[in-house]
Amino acid sequence: DTAVSQTPKYLVTQMGNDKSIKCEQNLGHDTMYWYKQDSKKFLKIMFSYNNKELIINETVPNRFSPKSPDKAHLNLHINSLELGDSAVYFCASSQGQGGNSPLHFGNGTRLTVT
Amino acid sequence: KQEVTQIPAALSVPEGENLVLNCSFTDSAIYNLQWFRQDPGKGLTSLLLIQSSQREQTSGRLNASLDKSSGRSTLYIAASQPGDSATYLCAVESGRSKLTFGKGITLSVRP
């Protein structure tokens, strides 16, 4: 009965490769997010989708491309991986925007680029 | 640009102590403020959400207050337990679906 699930949990890959992280939520929320947590534990938003529509794109390199096939899924595809992409990536969801709905987070995907 | 600050970065207390975690933000035009807990290797768990029109929220041993005009929030933990050891993050929603996080306070409660 996991609310926000993302796969894989760990991802180790070489520079230059392309990889994807998948996220699904079963909470019926209409807004989903990708956050990046760097080595200093600083959490920063990357993207936000509301009902499959992109509403936030926080100056993320265009090597990162989110895709939302439906409002329960938000996948993240990364092209030409670089060393600096190593981080923990969190998917999250909420109901609505700017109000009374807390964010629900997945357990994260730890990406290591070698 | 919204900035969220949490000081100190780490805190160690003996079990049973009441404690206060502080959070400050630079732009008072917010929709809400949220407190989260993060355990090692895990995602964030929402603890409390205070809407901009509210002054405080309570859940069990946790009480969060919000002073929007001064850009401050506190998370009060009563009778701390070793199981409370985690990183506590404060975040403010000040744009459409956009949360800005502090760097967190790593709390260690000693038995």
Side-chain angles (χ1 to χ4, degrees):
Chain A
D1 61 343
T2 303
V4 181
S5 59
Q6 53 184 111
T7 56
K9 186 173 175 61
Y10 300 98
L11 188 51
V12 180
T13 188
Q14 292 183 328
M15 284 176 57
N17 284 349
D18 303 339
K19 290 294 180 185
S20 292
I21 307 171
K22 295 186 176 182
C23 179
E24 175 182 6
Q25 54 95 4
N26 62 5
L27 296 166
H29 289 165
D30 56 13
T31 306
M32 295 186 71
Y33 313 77
W34 278 108
Y35 279 84
K36 178 180 180 180
Q37 189 170 44
D38 61 26
S39 58
K40 296 181 180 178
K41 305 299 184 186
F42 192 48
L43 199 65
K44 190 169 182 182
I45 191 166
M46 300 173 68
F47 300 103
S48 172
Y49 270 73
N50 178 260
N51 277 320
K52 303 194 298 176
E53 176 192 354
L54 178 66
I55 55 175
I56 293 177
N57 181 342
E58 280 292 296
T59 60
V60 177
N62 58 15
R63 297 183 296 104
F64 290 78
S65 53
K67 285 187 172 52
S68 181
D70 55 62
K71 74 173 192 176
H73 296 83
L74 180 61
N75 304 322
L76 184 64
H77 188 76
I78 315 170
N79 290 327
S80 303
L81 278 155
E82 300 177 356
L83 292 176
D85 297 332
S86 296
V88 181
Y89 293 84
F90 287 99
C91 177
S93 72
S94 68
Q95 183 59 34
Q97 307 157 50
N100 197 28
S101 177
L103 260 64
H104 293 255
F105 281 81
N107 283 334
T109 295
R110 181 173 294 277
L111 172 64
T112 303
V113 183
T114 61
Chain B
K1 178 186 172 186
Q2 179 73 268
E3 293 183 3
V4 180
T5 303
Q6 295 183 255
I7 295 172
L11 189 60
S12 180
V13 300
E15 182 176 3
E17 191 163 299
N18 300 326
L19 56 104
V20 173
L21 307 181
N22 293 307
C23 171
S24 61
F25 49 96
T26 54
D27 186 349
S28 61
I30 64 172
Y31 290 111
N32 62 55
L33 182 143
Q34 301 182 42
W35 281 94
F36 295 87
R37 167 185 173 140
Q38 184 174 25
D39 293 284
K42 299 285 188 181
L44 281 69
T45 300
S46 176
L47 297 173
L48 291 164
L49 181 152
I50 311 175
Q51 294 184 63
S52 62
S53 59
Q54 297 175 325
R55 299 281 295 184
E56 66 176 349
Q57 284 286 333
T58 298
S59 175
R61 293 182 296 108
L62 305 179
N63 176 277
S65 67
L66 173 64
D67 185 340
K68 207 170 63 163
S69 60
S70 67
R72 294 178 188 276
S73 175
T74 61
L75 179 66
Y76 174 82
I77 303 177
S80 58
Q81 303 170 359
D84 294 330
S85 298
T87 297
Y88 290 81
L89 294 101
C90 164
V92 295
E93 186 167 0
S94 52
R96 189 183 177 198
S97 294
K98 183 177 176 181
L99 255 70
T100 303
F101 281 83
K103 292 187 178 181
I105 299 173
T106 298
L107 172 66
S108 173
V109 181
R110 308 186 301 271

